[in-house]
């Protein structure tokens, strides 16, 4: 059984004819691309950075409409510049910046519109943040399951799939996607849906981008009011017992309950800790509380912040790592949280080089979509497991692998990976994210819509043009 979004006709709009700006010599600031920032300008330092990477682009443009996006794409193509697309800039791989190229920052394309309240059709600019979307939809009693962080951009998260706080009840963000507007490498703007450019529409739902610049998306929101949300802090006496108990509760829970179990290693004089994060989106508050209660019985409760809040309040503000350090992370999707996986997680959280771990429960609506219905193919996963640690800013690749040594035992049990949480951008990561048939189909779409590789060659498994310490550009991030 697959989830079928309501069939809504996405209006077709003719894109304006755009002429690329006339530039006499490389290095001269072009006109017609929106707000342009180049090295030496006030604001360049901020413009060249993302949350996890710092590049040295030749210019960063912030278009205010689709015509300026198309002009920027034409300029990058003519000048032979590496092209990165940025919505929120939260990607660990740093694709939303580059060295020596052009960054298209979509922050001004941030409108949120309820197009059809009866059918819950929402149109969102790709540069909007999910916090902005949640705030705009709350007065209508609507919400879209979409990540954990308010400052994450709509474009990047959607293109990678979108694992959010209501993933078990409403599926991935891409499961709500019914249309998108895309500026292609040849300057055309196309409106895609199930019935128009269907191959591209399939690829946008989890393919990670790199097919064009997605300027806006149409999504079917869910009716959501208040939710029970918060964190239950537990004593971490026996990690394996805690992980197994959490797994067993979620296996029996109805799909209105989503949860993430966080195991934090000791830091300085702070002992190891465990937190069970919950979001219960029941229509009935009493039922939501009953769903949460078994999680409190997993161990000694040290703290409890679970409360009834508007859904818009569950999206956290973006965190930042301490100066001089950088966050490195990995993830796997596991089909079963069996005892071997539980043992590996416990060992990784408490070994000589422990890593922080977060286990997110899947299933429910997430699993009712056929694996070939979208480019996010790993619908059989019971859980998403994320591991991470911090390293010095100038740590080498070997240093990073050493710091993550404890993660390898967990990774060995994975059958896939979530592209939005990938920490590197290698051929191995590409094959982890996409099964062979899915990858072949994505490459065919890429050849059709971006034969010259203007939007990056990440689907070849060989990115290029990346900033120091980060891989190459391509997908929005």
């Amino acid at each position: 059984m697959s989830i079928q979004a309501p069939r809504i006709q996405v209006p077709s709009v003719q894109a304006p004819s755009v002429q690329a700006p006339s530039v006499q010599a490389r290095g001269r600031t072009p006109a017609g691309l929106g707000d342009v920032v180049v090295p030496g300008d006030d604001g360049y330092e901020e413009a060249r950075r993302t949350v996890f990477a710092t590049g040295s682009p030749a210019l960063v443009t912030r278009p205010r409409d689709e015509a300026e996006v198309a002009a920027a794409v034409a300029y990058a193509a003519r000048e032979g510049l590496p092209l990165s697309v940025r919505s929120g800039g939260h990607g660990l791989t740093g694709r939303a910046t580059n060295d020596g190229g052009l960054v298209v920052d979509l922050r001004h394309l941030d409108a949120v519109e309820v197009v059809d309240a009866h059918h819950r059709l929402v149109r969102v600019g790709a540069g909007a943040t999910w916090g902005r979307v949640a705030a705009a939809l709350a007065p209508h009693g609507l919400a879209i399951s979409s990540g954990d962080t308010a400052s994450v951009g709509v474009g990047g998260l959607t293109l990678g799939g979108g694992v959010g706080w209501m993933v078990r009840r409403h599926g991935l963000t891409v499961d709500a996607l019914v249309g998108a507007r895309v500026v292609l490498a040849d300057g055309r703007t196309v409106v895609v849906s199930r019935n128009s450019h269907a191959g591209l529409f399939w690829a946008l739902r989890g393919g990670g981008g790199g097919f064009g610049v997605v300027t806006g998306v149409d999504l079917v929101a869910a009716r959501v009011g208040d939710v029970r949300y918060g964190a239950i802090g537990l004593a971490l006496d026996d990690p394996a017992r805690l992980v197994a108990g959490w797994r067993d509760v979620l296996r029996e829970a109805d799909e209105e309950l989503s949860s993430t179990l966080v195991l934090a290693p000791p830091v300085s004089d702070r002992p190891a800790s465990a937190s069970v994060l919950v979001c219960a989106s029941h229509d009935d508050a009493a039922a939501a509380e009953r769903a949460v209660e078994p999680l409190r019985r997993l161990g000694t409760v040290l703290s409890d912040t679970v409360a009834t809040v508007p859904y818009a309040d569950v999206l956290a503000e973006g965190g930042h790592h301490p100066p001089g350090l950088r966050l490195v992370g990995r993830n796997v999707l596991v089909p079963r949280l069996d005892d071997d996986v539980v043992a590996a997680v416990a060992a990784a959280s408490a070994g000589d080089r422990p890593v922080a771990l977060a286990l997110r429960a899947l299933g429910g609506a997430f699993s009712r979509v056929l694996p070939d219905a979208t480019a996010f193919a790993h619908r059989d996963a019971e859980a998403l497991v994320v591991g991470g640690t911090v390293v010095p800013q100038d740590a080498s690749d070997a240093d990073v692998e050493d710091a993550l040594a404890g993660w390898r035992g967990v990774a060995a049990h994975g059958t896939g990976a979530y592209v939005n949480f990938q920490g590197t951008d290698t051929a191995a990561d590409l094959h982890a994210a996409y099964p062979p048939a899915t990858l072949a189909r994505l490459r065919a779409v890429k050849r059709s819509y971006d034969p010259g590789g203007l939007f990056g060659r990440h689907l070849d498994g060989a990115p290029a043009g990346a900033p120091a310490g980060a891989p190459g550009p391509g997908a929005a991030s």
Side-chain angles (χ1 to χ4, degrees), residues 346-414:
S349 70
D352 293 336
R353 286 170 289 185
V355 294
L357 293 160
L359 294 81
R360 184 187 293 269
L362 300 173
F366 165 89
S367 299
R368 289 199 293 273
V369 177
L370 296 175
D372 62 352
T374 67
F376 190 110
H378 302 285
R379 299 292 185 154
D380 63 342
E382 181 177 20
L384 168 65
V385 187
V386 182
T389 189
V390 292
V391 298
Q393 187 65 45
D394 58 355
S396 66
D397 290 347
D399 293 333
V400 171
E401 290 306 312
D402 185 62
L404 289 170
W407 168 253
R408 295 185 195 124
V410 179
H413 297 279

Side-chain angles (χ1 to χ4, degrees), residues 85-286:
V85 183
R86 180 185 303 166
S87 57
H90 279 255
L92 282 167
T93 60
R95 282 197 217 163
T97 190
N98 62 51
D99 288 332
L102 185 152
V103 174
V104 178
D105 185 334
L106 300 174
R107 66 177 60 189
H108 295 320
L109 303 182
D110 64 350
V112 182
E113 178 187 4
V114 178
V115 176
D116 185 332
H118 177 70
H119 291 101
R120 310 186 308 283
L121 178 65
V122 180
R123 182 161 296 159
V124 185
T129 63
W130 285 110
R132 178 181 175 86
V133 173
L137 297 186
H140 301 274
L142 300 175
I144 298 165
S145 187
S146 50
D148 306 330
T149 307
S151 56
V152 166
V154 166
L157 181 125
T158 300
L159 295 174
V163 178
W165 272 120
M166 296 183 290
V167 65
R168 284 163 47 82
R169 185 174 189 182
H170 298 299
L172 297 171
T173 306
V174 292
D175 298 331
L177 184 68
V178 294
R181 293 181 63 85
V182 188
V183 176
L184 302 177
D186 61 9
R188 290 181 298 142
T189 294
V190 295
V191 179
V192 305
S193 67
R194 293 183 189 276
N195 302 317
S196 175
H197 299 274
L200 179 56
F201 179 62
W202 171 86
L204 295 181
R205 289 177 291 160
F211 308 99
V213 181
V214 174
T215 60
V217 293
D218 285 353
L219 300 142
V220 176
R223 298 200 185 280
V224 178
D226 291 342
V227 298
R228 290 290 286 175
Y229 172 79
I232 303 166
L234 298 172
L236 190 56
D237 303 321
D238 186 339
R241 183 177 60 82
L242 177 58
V243 173
W246 174 83
R247 172 201 64 195
D248 293 344
V249 170
L250 268 296
R251 283 179 176 174
E252 295 297 323
D254 56 40
E255 60 194 45
E256 283 82 1
L257 176 67
S258 288
S259 180
T260 297
L261 172 61
V262 179
L263 305 178
V267 177
S268 186
D269 58 349
R270 188 184 69 192
S273 63
S275 295
V276 178
L277 310 180
V278 298
C279 182
S281 57
H282 294 69
D283 297 327
D284 178 84

Side-chain angles (χ1 to χ4, degrees), residues 263-323:
L263 305 178
V267 177
S268 186
D269 58 349
R270 188 184 69 192
S273 63
S275 295
V276 178
L277 310 180
V278 298
C279 182
S281 57
H282 294 69
D283 297 327
D284 178 84
E289 178 56 27
R290 286 195 298 272
V292 171
E293 184 57 32
L295 294 168
R296 295 190 175 97
R297 298 195 291 268
L298 295 177
T300 302
V301 175
L302 304 178
S303 61
D304 190 338
T305 65
V306 177
T308 300
V309 299
Y311 171 76
D313 290 355
V314 311
L315 300 179
E317 295 302 320
H320 296 280
H321 44 274

